[in-house]
Amino acid sequence: MEHRRLRRSPDALATQVDGDIMMLVLSTGMYHSLSGVAARIWEVLETPSTLDEISARIAEEYGVSLEQCRMDTQAFLADLSRAGLVDDFA
């Protein structure tokens, strides 16, 4: 995941509702919601990005250590991938 470019899955529909992101994965019919930093990461993924690019941006915006942000972001992106919300950008 470190050097792969990730993007929002084309199978995911998303909309913003009162500051949260509400999503539907078309292939599974599962709904998901994101808020706070998670919603911000989703916004960053509007442009395909690597883990390092996303982590650097979030760490700067939220004033947290890059190392901790990278670990947390990697775990979160793995969750999004398992849910079918992000995939590799070729």
Side-chain angles (χ1 to χ4, degrees):
M1 179 178 297
E2 295 175 18
H3 303 291
R4 299 181 346 220
R5 285 193 114 33
L6 300 171
R7 67 172 182 168
R8 296 175 182 177
S9 171
D11 193 39
L13 298 179
T15 191
Q16 189 167 14
V17 178
D18 296 328
D20 293 343
I21 306 291
M22 305 302 291
M23 296 169 286
L24 169 65
V25 180
L26 296 173
S27 62
T28 64
M30 297 293 296
Y31 286 92
H32 303 272
S33 67
L34 302 174
S35 60
V37 177
R40 181 64 185 123
I41 291 171
W42 181 259
E43 291 169 355
V44 170
L45 284 167
E46 183 173 0
T47 302
S49 304
T50 65
L51 170 63
D52 288 340
E53 291 168 341
I54 298 165
S55 299
R57 191 162 175 183
I58 297 299
E60 182 178 325
E61 289 179 14
Y62 287 87
V64 297
S65 79
L66 181 57
E67 182 178 325
Q68 184 64 51
C69 184
R70 190 175 189 288
M71 288 188 320
D72 293 345
T73 300
Q74 185 172 18
F76 176 65
L77 290 171
D79 289 344
L80 289 181
S81 180
R82 281 190 295 278
L85 294 166
V86 299
D87 57 25
D88 289 346
F89 181 73

XYZ file of all heavy atoms in Angstrom:
697
model
N 0.818 -1.192 0.000
C 0.000 0.000 0.000
C 0.864 1.260 0.000
O 0.427 2.293 -0.452
C -0.921 -0.001 1.221
C -1.790 1.234 1.318
S -2.922 1.231 2.695
C -3.948 -0.140 2.325
N 2.092 1.152 0.475
C 2.934 2.322 0.658
C 3.163 3.104 -0.627
O 3.149 4.326 -0.624
C 4.265 1.905 1.262
C 4.127 1.346 2.651
C 5.428 0.836 3.200
O 6.481 1.197 2.670
O 5.370 0.080 4.172
N 3.408 2.411 -1.740
C 3.754 3.096 -2.974
C 2.641 3.051 -4.012
O 2.780 3.627 -5.082
C 5.045 2.506 -3.541
C 6.178 2.581 -2.571
N 6.762 3.769 -2.203
C 6.800 1.625 -1.841
C 7.714 3.538 -1.315
N 7.744 2.239 -1.070
N 1.579 2.356 -3.691
C 0.442 2.286 -4.610
C -0.334 3.586 -4.570
O -0.467 4.205 -3.529
C -0.490 1.146 -4.209
C 0.145 -0.204 -4.244
C -0.809 -1.325 -3.862
N -2.050 -0.939 -3.244
C -2.621 -1.596 -2.238
N -2.055 -2.663 -1.734
N -3.766 -1.195 -1.736
N -0.862 3.961 -5.700
C -1.772 5.102 -5.747
C -3.172 4.546 -5.501
O -3.612 3.619 -6.173
C -1.712 5.801 -7.091
C -0.439 6.640 -7.255
C -0.539 7.558 -8.419
N -0.558 8.978 -8.197
C 0.038 9.683 -7.277
N 0.697 9.102 -6.345
N -0.015 10.986 -7.232
N -3.839 5.105 -4.530
C -5.193 4.674 -4.187
C -6.187 5.707 -4.685
O -5.876 6.896 -4.772
C -5.316 4.506 -2.677
C -4.363 3.481 -2.067
C -4.414 3.566 -0.554
C -4.711 2.094 -2.537
N -7.370 5.231 -4.968
C -8.442 6.124 -5.409
C -9.752 5.645 -4.826
O -9.873 4.505 -4.367
C -8.538 6.123 -6.930
C -9.006 4.768 -7.451
C -9.278 4.795 -8.904
N -9.769 3.464 -9.309
C -10.311 3.210 -10.455
N -10.443 4.156 -11.341
N -10.737 1.997 -10.736
N -10.732 6.507 -4.901
C -12.079 6.106 -4.524
C -12.552 5.053 -5.524
O -12.341 5.186 -6.721
C -13.028 7.293 -4.596
C -12.719 8.390 -3.627
C -13.657 9.542 -3.899
N -13.401 10.673 -3.025
C -14.060 11.813 -3.117
N -15.005 11.968 -4.033
N -13.773 12.788 -2.289
N -13.197 4.040 -5.041
C -13.704 3.002 -5.923
C -14.837 3.557 -6.781
O -15.726 4.251 -6.273
C -14.233 1.824 -5.103
O -14.895 0.919 -5.944
N -14.832 3.240 -8.068
C -15.953 3.662 -8.907
C -17.253 2.959 -8.523
O -18.330 3.362 -8.951
C -15.507 3.294 -10.329
C -14.341 2.404 -10.196
C -13.787 2.566 -8.817
N -17.163 1.933 -7.681
C -18.327 1.181 -7.211
C -18.976 1.845 -5.994
O -19.965 1.360 -5.478
C -17.875 -0.246 -6.862
C -19.031 -1.196 -6.672
O -20.019 -1.102 -7.436
O -18.954 -2.030 -5.757
N -18.389 2.964 -5.521
C -18.895 3.643 -4.320
C -19.548 4.965 -4.694
O -18.948 5.792 -5.376
C -17.763 3.878 -3.332
N -20.765 5.144 -4.242
C -21.451 6.424 -4.384
C -21.353 7.142 -3.051
O -21.528 6.520 -2.002
C -22.917 6.213 -4.735
C -23.221 5.512 -6.047
C -24.733 5.360 -6.211
C -22.636 6.285 -7.210
N -21.069 8.439 -3.091
C -20.901 9.191 -1.843
C -21.533 10.562 -1.962
O -21.567 11.162 -3.033
C -19.413 9.318 -1.513
N -22.019 11.042 -0.816
C -22.549 12.396 -0.730
C -22.284 12.938 0.662
O -22.141 12.175 1.626
C -24.065 12.431 -1.057
O -24.473 13.782 -1.207
C -24.887 11.746 0.020
N -22.232 14.250 0.761
C -22.002 14.880 2.060
C -23.342 15.271 2.682
O -24.203 15.837 2.010
C -21.131 16.113 1.905
C -20.676 16.670 3.221
C -19.574 17.698 3.062
O -19.316 18.192 1.976
N -18.936 18.031 4.149
N -23.500 14.914 3.967
C -24.716 15.229 4.716
C -24.302 15.795 6.066
O -23.711 15.085 6.884
C -25.602 13.967 4.912
C -26.829 14.307 5.734
C -25.973 13.337 3.587
N -24.566 17.075 6.280
C -24.239 17.722 7.554
C -22.790 17.501 7.987
O -22.500 17.201 9.140
C -25.183 17.255 8.670
C -26.625 17.662 8.423
O -26.846 18.737 7.819
O -27.525 16.914 8.824
N -21.860 17.591 7.037
C -20.445 17.448 7.348
C -19.929 16.025 7.358
O -18.720 15.802 7.430
N -20.803 15.051 7.308
C -20.402 13.647 7.237
C -20.491 13.184 5.787
O -21.211 13.759 4.980
C -21.313 12.764 8.092
C -21.178 13.035 9.578
O -20.180 13.656 9.990
O -22.084 12.630 10.330
N -19.763 12.126 5.473
C -19.831 11.526 4.146
C -20.624 10.224 4.268
O -20.285 9.356 5.066
C -18.421 11.210 3.594
C -17.516 12.446 3.614
C -18.518 10.601 2.199
C -17.881 13.520 2.656
N -21.676 10.123 3.498
C -22.500 8.916 3.459
C -22.202 8.208 2.142
O -22.174 8.841 1.081
C -23.984 9.271 3.532
C -24.353 10.120 4.739
S -23.951 9.362 6.309
C -25.111 8.024 6.332
N -21.974 6.875 2.211
C -21.576 6.125 1.034
C -22.377 4.842 0.884
O -22.803 4.260 1.875
C -20.092 5.770 1.128
C -19.207 6.985 1.125
S -17.531 6.566 1.553
C -17.705 6.293 3.296
N -22.505 4.422 -0.357
C -23.127 3.161 -0.701
C -22.194 2.431 -1.657
O -21.759 2.997 -2.662
C -24.474 3.386 -1.397
C -25.119 2.158 -2.059
C -25.496 1.108 -1.023
C -26.316 2.569 -2.886
N -21.853 1.186 -1.332
C -21.075 0.342 -2.243
C -22.091 -0.423 -3.087
O -22.856 -1.239 -2.568
C -20.145 -0.630 -1.477
C -19.361 -1.489 -2.457
C -19.215 0.137 -0.556
N -22.112 -0.114 -4.369
C -23.144 -0.669 -5.251
C -23.124 -2.189 -5.320
O -24.175 -2.822 -5.318
C -22.989 -0.077 -6.652
C -23.225 1.436 -6.745
C -22.885 1.930 -8.138
C -24.660 1.769 -6.373
N -21.936 -2.776 -5.357
C -21.855 -4.230 -5.533
C -22.328 -5.016 -4.316
O -22.769 -6.152 -4.438
C -20.428 -4.647 -5.888
O -19.551 -4.315 -4.836
N -22.254 -4.410 -3.128
C -22.645 -5.124 -1.918
C -23.928 -4.591 -1.291
O -24.529 -5.272 -0.459
C -21.541 -5.032 -0.848
O -21.381 -3.657 -0.454
C -20.227 -5.604 -1.348
N -24.320 -3.374 -1.673
C -25.491 -2.757 -1.067
C -25.234 -2.264 0.356
O -26.164 -1.891 1.057
N -23.967 -2.240 0.770
C -23.612 -1.805 2.131
C -23.456 -0.287 2.183
O -22.854 0.311 1.298
C -22.312 -2.461 2.583
C -22.376 -3.972 2.689
S -23.462 -4.553 4.002
C -22.637 -3.927 5.426
N -24.002 0.288 3.258
C -23.861 1.714 3.518
C -22.747 1.940 4.526
O -22.539 1.129 5.425
C -25.163 2.289 4.083
C -26.247 2.449 3.065
C -27.177 1.427 2.848
C -26.353 3.602 2.315
C -28.178 1.558 1.908
C -27.350 3.753 1.371
C -28.262 2.730 1.169
O -29.244 2.877 0.235
N -22.059 3.070 4.389
C -20.995 3.458 5.303
C -21.097 4.956 5.521
O -21.611 5.683 4.666
C -19.611 3.135 4.713
C -19.438 1.702 4.356
N -18.982 0.771 5.254
C -19.677 1.033 3.197
C -18.934 -0.410 4.659
N -19.359 -0.279 3.416
N -20.586 5.416 6.656
C -20.514 6.861 6.893
C -19.158 7.202 7.482
O -18.557 6.400 8.204
C -21.638 7.331 7.815
O -21.466 6.808 9.105
N -18.683 8.389 7.135
C -17.400 8.881 7.623
C -17.593 10.280 8.179
O -18.378 11.068 7.647
C -16.373 8.940 6.485
C -16.078 7.647 5.737
C -15.151 7.932 4.564
C -15.462 6.623 6.669
N -16.856 10.584 9.233
C -16.883 11.932 9.784
C -15.469 12.312 10.219
O -14.576 11.464 10.275
C -17.856 12.027 10.965
O -17.463 11.137 11.993
N -15.272 13.572 10.521
C -13.996 14.049 11.032
C -12.842 13.778 10.082
O -12.934 14.009 8.877
N -11.751 13.264 10.640
C -10.542 12.996 9.856
C -10.823 11.963 8.768
O -10.311 12.068 7.653
C -9.375 12.532 10.760
C -8.149 12.198 9.936
C -9.047 13.586 11.804
N -11.653 10.981 9.058
C -11.985 9.958 8.059
C -12.630 10.597 6.834
O -12.296 10.262 5.692
C -12.897 8.908 8.669
N -13.546 11.528 7.060
C -14.187 12.229 5.945
C -13.161 13.067 5.180
O -13.214 13.153 3.952
C -15.324 13.109 6.458
N -12.215 13.655 5.894
C -11.175 14.452 5.232
C -10.292 13.569 4.355
O -9.937 13.956 3.238
C -10.329 15.195 6.270
C -9.252 16.045 5.658
C -9.850 17.179 4.817
N -8.795 17.907 4.150
C -8.717 18.088 2.832
N -9.669 17.624 2.029
N -7.720 18.739 2.306
N -9.952 12.372 4.821
C -9.158 11.455 4.004
C -9.940 11.099 2.734
O -9.375 11.061 1.639
C -8.757 10.202 4.805
C -7.735 10.586 5.888
C -8.202 9.111 3.887
C -7.420 9.487 6.872
N -11.220 10.876 2.864
C -12.049 10.586 1.699
C -11.992 11.749 0.709
O -11.890 11.553 -0.505
C -13.489 10.306 2.121
C -14.384 9.973 0.976
C -15.276 10.804 0.351
C -14.458 8.719 0.286
N -15.903 10.138 -0.662
C -15.423 8.858 -0.725
C -13.810 7.498 0.440
C -15.754 7.827 -1.589
C -14.142 6.463 -0.422
C -15.108 6.634 -1.419
N -12.052 12.977 1.211
C -11.960 14.150 0.344
C -10.617 14.186 -0.379
O -10.551 14.477 -1.577
C -12.153 15.431 1.150
C -13.560 15.612 1.669
C -13.688 16.738 2.680
O -12.662 17.335 3.071
O -14.831 17.019 3.086
N -9.535 13.896 0.337
C -8.197 13.877 -0.264
C -8.137 12.840 -1.387
O -7.482 13.058 -2.408
C -7.114 13.615 0.806
C -5.757 13.351 0.180
C -7.037 14.788 1.787
N -8.834 11.731 -1.217
C -8.830 10.667 -2.224
C -9.587 11.029 -3.496
O -9.669 10.217 -4.419
C -9.386 9.369 -1.643
C -8.433 8.619 -0.726
C -9.176 7.526 0.036
C -7.279 8.028 -1.520
N -10.102 12.249 -3.565
C -10.720 12.699 -4.814
C -9.681 12.636 -5.940
O -10.009 12.367 -7.087
C -11.257 14.120 -4.669
C -11.958 14.603 -5.904
C -12.644 15.937 -5.709
O -12.582 16.513 -4.617
O -13.245 16.401 -6.680
N -8.415 12.862 -5.569
C -7.292 12.708 -6.485
C -6.519 11.465 -6.062
O -6.163 11.347 -4.887
C -6.360 13.939 -6.404
O -7.107 15.101 -6.714
C -5.192 13.790 -7.361
N -6.271 10.516 -6.960
C -5.501 9.330 -6.573
C -4.195 9.727 -5.880
O -3.479 10.619 -6.350
C -5.244 8.624 -7.907
C -6.415 9.031 -8.747
C -6.672 10.461 -8.367
N -3.913 9.098 -4.746
C -2.782 9.486 -3.903
C -2.158 8.259 -3.255
O -2.812 7.240 -3.066
C -3.261 10.425 -2.787
O -3.918 11.555 -3.312
N -0.891 8.402 -2.865
C -0.212 7.338 -2.131
C -0.451 7.518 -0.634
O -0.857 8.594 -0.184
C 1.309 7.361 -2.390
O 1.847 8.576 -1.851
C 1.636 7.225 -3.867
N -0.148 6.490 0.112
C -0.243 6.557 1.565
C 0.592 7.708 2.095
O 0.142 8.473 2.948
C 0.205 5.233 2.183
C 0.396 5.221 3.701
C -0.916 5.506 4.417
C 0.980 3.893 4.145
N 1.814 7.860 1.595
C 2.697 8.925 2.073
C 2.130 10.306 1.766
O 2.205 11.207 2.594
C 4.096 8.782 1.476
C 4.862 7.613 2.072
O 4.497 7.145 3.169
O 5.828 7.162 1.433
N 1.545 10.484 0.589
C 0.958 11.778 0.230
C -0.222 12.112 1.138
O -0.348 13.242 1.631
C 0.512 11.770 -1.230
C 1.653 11.720 -2.214
C 1.224 11.418 -3.638
O 0.098 10.892 -3.868
O 2.035 11.692 -4.540
N -1.076 11.142 1.355
C -2.249 11.358 2.211
C -1.805 11.654 3.640
O -2.275 12.612 4.259
C -3.186 10.131 2.183
C -3.720 9.903 0.769
C -4.332 10.295 3.179
C -4.354 8.541 0.560
N -0.889 10.856 4.158
C -0.423 11.017 5.541
C 0.220 12.376 5.761
O -0.032 13.038 6.776
C 0.573 9.913 5.905
O -0.041 8.659 5.808
N 1.055 12.806 4.824
C 1.720 14.107 4.961
C 0.703 15.239 4.996
O 0.810 16.161 5.815
C 2.708 14.309 3.819
N -0.283 15.152 4.148
C -1.313 16.200 4.098
C -2.136 16.241 5.387
O -2.375 17.304 5.954
C -2.210 15.941 2.894
C -3.121 17.065 2.589
C -3.613 16.924 1.187
N -4.587 17.950 0.904
C -5.224 18.044 -0.231
N -4.984 17.184 -1.205
N -6.106 18.987 -0.431
N -2.567 15.073 5.843
C -3.381 15.012 7.061
C -2.566 15.433 8.285
O -3.053 16.183 9.140
C -3.981 13.599 7.235
C -4.923 13.256 6.074
C -4.687 13.460 8.585
C -6.126 14.168 5.910
N -1.323 14.979 8.382
C -0.471 15.347 9.522
C -0.292 16.854 9.591
O -0.370 17.448 10.677
C 0.887 14.649 9.412
N -0.084 17.473 8.441
C 0.091 18.927 8.412
C -1.201 19.648 8.796
O -1.198 20.574 9.603
C 0.538 19.367 7.027
C 0.776 20.859 6.935
C 1.260 21.290 5.564
O 2.020 20.531 4.923
O 0.863 22.384 5.141
N -2.310 19.219 8.230
C -3.592 19.885 8.486
C -4.038 19.761 9.939
O -4.651 20.673 10.483
C -4.678 19.319 7.573
C -4.516 19.714 6.128
C -5.588 19.136 5.220
O -6.623 18.635 5.723
O -5.393 19.183 3.991
N -3.748 18.616 10.562
C -4.239 18.370 11.914
C -3.166 18.527 12.990
O -3.444 18.341 14.170
C -4.882 16.976 12.003
C -6.222 16.931 11.309
C -6.318 16.656 9.944
C -7.408 17.200 12.000
C -7.537 16.631 9.297
C -8.630 17.175 11.361
C -8.695 16.891 10.005
O -9.917 16.875 9.369
N -1.930 18.849 12.575
C -0.867 19.100 13.542
C -0.487 17.884 14.371
O -0.268 17.998 15.575
N -0.432 16.724 13.729
C -0.045 15.486 14.422
C 1.261 14.980 13.829
O 1.667 15.388 12.740
C -1.145 14.408 14.321
C -2.415 14.875 15.003
C -1.429 14.054 12.869
N 1.909 14.053 14.533
C 3.181 13.528 14.036
C 2.951 12.720 12.767
O 1.950 11.991 12.650
C 3.870 12.670 15.094
O 3.298 11.383 15.151
N 3.875 12.836 11.845
C 3.760 12.115 10.582
C 3.773 10.606 10.811
O 3.001 9.874 10.189
C 4.893 12.520 9.634
C 4.876 11.862 8.258
C 3.563 12.118 7.529
C 6.052 12.350 7.440
N 4.601 10.138 11.727
C 4.703 8.701 11.985
C 3.371 8.121 12.478
O 2.890 7.116 11.964
C 5.799 8.422 13.012
C 6.000 6.954 13.289
C 7.126 6.702 14.285
O 8.121 7.444 14.261
O 6.979 5.768 15.085
N 2.765 8.770 13.461
C 1.484 8.282 13.991
C 0.386 8.407 12.948
O -0.434 7.494 12.774
C 1.092 9.049 15.257
C -0.178 8.525 15.904
C -0.039 7.095 16.397
O 0.905 6.778 17.110
N -0.970 6.229 16.017
N 0.386 9.515 12.227
C -0.626 9.724 11.192
C -0.518 8.657 10.116
O -1.528 8.123 9.668
C -0.458 11.113 10.587
S -1.732 11.525 9.389
N 0.697 8.313 9.734
C 0.907 7.308 8.698
C 0.369 5.945 9.151
O -0.294 5.247 8.380
C 2.387 7.216 8.353
C 2.668 6.384 7.149
C 4.164 6.444 6.811
N 4.429 5.828 5.555
C 4.386 4.529 5.333
N 4.067 3.686 6.294
N 4.643 4.042 4.147
N 0.650 5.563 10.384
C 0.159 4.276 10.890
C -1.365 4.248 10.922
O -1.988 3.273 10.491
C 0.733 3.995 12.287
C 2.196 3.652 12.271
S 2.882 3.081 13.863
C 2.106 4.121 15.063
N -1.973 5.322 11.444
C -3.434 5.381 11.532
C -4.077 5.423 10.151
O -5.095 4.761 9.902
C -3.862 6.605 12.340
C -3.465 6.529 13.801
O -3.100 5.431 14.282
O -3.492 7.581 14.469
N -3.472 6.190 9.247
C -4.014 6.309 7.890
C -3.915 4.984 7.158
O -4.848 4.584 6.450
C -3.283 7.423 7.112
O -3.459 8.667 7.813
C -3.817 7.567 5.695
N -2.817 4.266 7.330
C -2.646 2.972 6.681
C -3.728 1.992 7.146
O -4.331 1.288 6.336
C -1.261 2.403 6.954
C -0.985 1.122 6.206
C 0.465 0.680 6.326
O 1.200 1.112 7.200
N 0.887 -0.170 5.428
N -3.984 1.964 8.441
C -5.020 1.075 8.978
C -6.401 1.470 8.437
O -7.200 0.602 8.058
C -5.009 1.113 10.501
N -6.670 2.758 8.388
C -7.960 3.234 7.892
C -8.131 2.901 6.411
O -9.193 2.430 5.991
C -8.097 4.739 8.129
C -9.350 5.314 7.560
C -10.594 4.945 8.054
C -9.303 6.220 6.515
C -11.760 5.469 7.516
C -10.458 6.745 5.974
C -11.689 6.370 6.475
N -7.085 3.110 5.610
C -7.172 2.796 4.188
C -7.367 1.306 3.954
O -8.080 0.909 3.020
C -5.926 3.303 3.458
C -5.812 4.823 3.342
C -4.439 5.207 2.806
C -6.920 5.407 2.491
N -6.769 0.478 4.793
C -6.979 -0.971 4.692
C -8.444 -1.301 4.955
O -9.035 -2.145 4.260
C -6.065 -1.710 5.660
N -9.049 -0.632 5.942
C -10.481 -0.828 6.217
C -11.327 -0.408 5.014
O -12.277 -1.113 4.634
C -10.916 -0.026 7.445
C -10.377 -0.567 8.747
O -9.909 -1.730 8.781
O -10.409 0.183 9.754
N -10.998 0.748 4.422
C -11.740 1.212 3.248
C -11.597 0.234 2.087
O -12.565 -0.038 1.368
C -11.256 2.598 2.809
C -11.596 3.786 3.700
C -11.054 5.070 3.089
C -13.093 3.906 3.934
N -10.416 -0.310 1.928
C -10.178 -1.275 0.856
C -11.016 -2.540 1.059
O -11.660 -3.031 0.124
C -8.686 -1.613 0.790
O -8.434 -2.538 -0.228
N -11.023 -3.065 2.285
C -11.824 -4.264 2.592
C -13.307 -4.003 2.366
O -14.051 -4.906 1.977
C -11.577 -4.722 4.020
C -10.283 -5.500 4.195
C -10.184 -6.139 5.551
N -10.097 -5.192 6.648
C -8.978 -4.577 7.046
N -7.843 -4.818 6.436
N -9.000 -3.742 8.050
N -13.746 -2.774 2.591
C -15.166 -2.429 2.419
C -15.517 -2.156 0.958
O -16.685 -1.950 0.635
C -15.513 -1.217 3.284
N -14.504 -2.142 0.080
C -14.764 -1.879 -1.332
C -14.886 -0.414 -1.679
O -15.412 -0.060 -2.723
N -14.380 0.454 -0.791
C -14.506 1.891 -1.003
C -13.303 2.518 -1.697
O -13.421 3.604 -2.271
C -14.762 2.592 0.341
C -16.102 2.237 0.966
C -16.154 2.678 2.412
C -17.232 2.861 0.172
N -12.144 1.883 -1.629
C -10.965 2.362 -2.349
C -10.304 1.199 -3.071
O -10.464 0.036 -2.676
C -9.912 3.051 -1.432
C -10.479 4.272 -0.750
C -9.326 2.092 -0.440
N -9.594 1.520 -4.134
C -8.826 0.518 -4.849
C -7.605 1.173 -5.475
O -7.403 2.373 -5.364
C -9.675 -0.229 -5.881
C -10.343 0.675 -6.907
O -9.842 1.781 -7.171
O -11.370 0.266 -7.465
N -6.785 0.357 -6.121
C -5.576 0.853 -6.771
C -5.947 1.658 -8.013
O -6.900 1.330 -8.716
C -4.665 -0.290 -7.195
C -4.016 -0.974 -6.012
O -4.060 -0.411 -4.901
O -3.461 -2.061 -6.197
N -5.157 2.684 -8.260
C -5.326 3.488 -9.454
C -4.249 3.098 -10.440
O -3.065 3.206 -10.150
C -5.213 4.975 -9.119
C -5.391 5.868 -10.307
C -6.644 6.046 -10.859
C -4.306 6.537 -10.856
C -6.808 6.881 -11.955
C -4.474 7.367 -11.947
C -5.720 7.540 -12.492
N -4.643 2.594 -11.583
C -3.656 2.126 -12.572
C -3.197 3.264 -13.451
O -3.857 4.220 -13.688
C -4.276 1.033 -13.440
